[in-house]
Amino acid sequence: MRTALVTGGASGIGAALVSRLRHEGFDVSSLDLATGFDVTDASDWDTVGAVDVACLNAGVLGGPADPTALGLDEYRRAFSVNVDGVVLGVRRLAQVMPIGGRIVCTASLAGLTGVPDDPVYAATKHAVVGYVRSVAPALEARGISINAICPGFADTAMVSGVARERLETAGFPLLGVDDVAEAAWVALTSGETGHAWVVQPGRPPVDFRFPTLPGPRRGDETVGLPPSLSG
């Protein structure tokens, strides 16, 4: 039987991912604090064995809009869960995944735009998108693909309190968790690697096209991409 793991799989998007993968016939392990697994702990990752599919989904909010009100503990916790949880997971999976292994990371629209209400959360999700795009070639050389999904506001416990009230008052639609899980499946089965998939209510998942960066010039000559600096 094909095997899979989902971090943060006990609730919300994670639980929907577990359900979606089981529907596709996978034997799924849910790795969550509720089940005794800490994505920020490298020793916990050392216990993970080979799987065919991994959804690195665990995440937390960052903190207040006002940078002077940001506590160091919440700042470090956000980066530890949202970024370390992905990097440590990929490090381990690169060691144990078979050829044909597939990874999808739950980033956010916050990883593609500014989010004045939670700058630290946005910073962590920009980091996830950047890491996925940057690590894809090294994983591809091992026969492993990696992609990110970037959902907008989803109907989970992370959207609560005043934020939820304002969205509901404005009639702003929330994503269902099953919609996000479906987008993850699209990314996993896309045949692509290093891509970011935008997920918005009422739309199919969109393979986001990043703008082309202006390259350097040497005199009147346009210079292409820089050479690889590793190896």
Side-chain angles (χ1 to χ4, degrees):
M1 178 177 284
R2 296 176 299 172
T3 56
L5 67 80
V6 177
T7 65
S11 61
I13 292 171
L17 288 166
V18 170
S19 178
R20 185 69 173 86
L21 290 169
R22 285 178 177 161
H23 174 75
E24 295 295 336
F26 285 85
D27 180 15
V28 187
S29 297
S30 173
L31 307 183
D32 195 285
L33 277 177
T35 60
F37 190 94
D38 185 351
V39 297
T40 73
D41 189 335
S43 63
D44 278 5
W45 279 110
D46 287 342
T47 68
V48 170
V51 291
D52 299 299
V53 164
C55 297
L56 304 182
N57 166 77
V60 296
L61 294 174
D66 179 1
T68 67
L70 177 65
L72 289 180
D73 286 344
E74 62 185 331
Y75 163 73
R76 289 170 177 150
R77 178 64 177 165
F79 268 87
S80 187
V81 174
N82 297 359
V83 182
D84 293 356
V86 169
V87 174
L88 294 177
V90 170
R91 182 180 72 162
R92 178 58 178 173
L93 292 166
Q95 296 169 349
V96 299
M97 254 188 167
I99 292 174
R102 293 170 285 170
I103 303 169
V104 67
C105 302
T106 304
S108 170
L109 281 186
L112 300 173
T113 187
V115 183
D117 289 336
D118 194 339
V120 169
Y121 181 77
T124 66
K125 295 305 184 177
H126 273 77
V128 170
V129 171
Y131 183 70
V132 165
R133 297 180 71 199
S134 301
V135 79
L139 291 178
E140 188 174 24
R142 294 174 175 269
I144 299 169
S145 69
I146 185 169
N147 290 284
I149 54 170
C150 299
F153 289 108
D155 189 8
T156 70
M158 290 182 72
V159 179
S160 61
V162 173
R164 180 176 285 268
E165 291 174 7
R166 289 177 177 171
L167 291 169
E168 290 176 349
T169 299
F172 192 90
L174 297 178
L175 280 165
V177 293
D178 290 339
D179 297 325
V180 182
E182 177 61 26
W185 183 249
V186 169
L188 285 166
T189 56
S190 66
E192 305 289 355
T193 193
H195 288 220
W197 299 79
V198 171
V199 194
Q200 288 277 51
R203 296 178 179 270
V206 176
D207 187 355
F208 186 72
R209 298 302 181 187
F210 290 88
T212 301
L213 295 174
R217 295 182 67 86
R218 186 171 50 237
D220 293 331
E221 179 188 3
T222 298
V223 179
L225 294 173
S228 174
L229 302 181
S230 62

